Amino acid sequence: MVEVTLWGSLGTAAGGQSKLDIEAKDIRELFRKLAEQYPAFEPLIDRGIAVAIDGTIYRDTWSKELPEGAEIFLLPRLAGG
């Protein structure tokens, strides 16, 4: 079980929650479970969500393991140039 902090608009997709406890071993499983429990997450995942684990940001590294007790933040994709 990991505690995940949802940054910005991602909390809205989870019914207004800013923190979730999810049973997931890696980023792929985390995204799958989020989409199952909160269908509004699916389009956000498709657009791109960055995952910060203990201060390191991972993008497109879906096999990265989620260590127990790690600080995990999900950040929406930022647009701009």
Side-chain angles (χ1 to χ4, degrees), residues 7-10 44 47-50 57 59 74-81:
W7 195 260
S9 61
L10 297 179
L44 299 173
R47 278 198 300 257
I49 294 177
I57 296 177
R59 291 186 191 126
L74 298 185
L75 304 108
R77 183 181 185 124
L78 300 174

Side-chain angles (χ1 to χ4, degrees), residues 32-50:
R32 183 179 55 79
K33 288 189 175 184
L34 283 171
E36 287 172 1
Q37 293 177 23
Y38 305 98
F41 253 97
E42 196 157 5
L44 299 173
I45 292 168
D46 290 343
R47 278 198 300 257
I49 294 177

Side-chain angles (χ1 to χ4, degrees), residues 20-59:
L20 301 172
D21 290 321
I22 305 277
E23 186 70 42
K25 67 180 186 315
D26 58 27
I27 294 173
R28 177 179 284 109
E29 185 176 18
L30 173 65
F31 284 169
R32 183 179 55 79
K33 288 189 175 184
L34 283 171
E36 287 172 1
Q37 293 177 23
Y38 305 98
F41 253 97
E42 196 157 5
L44 299 173
I45 292 168
D46 290 343
R47 278 198 300 257
I49 294 177
V51 180
I53 303 171
D54 291 332
T56 301
I57 296 177
Y58 297 89
R59 291 186 191 126

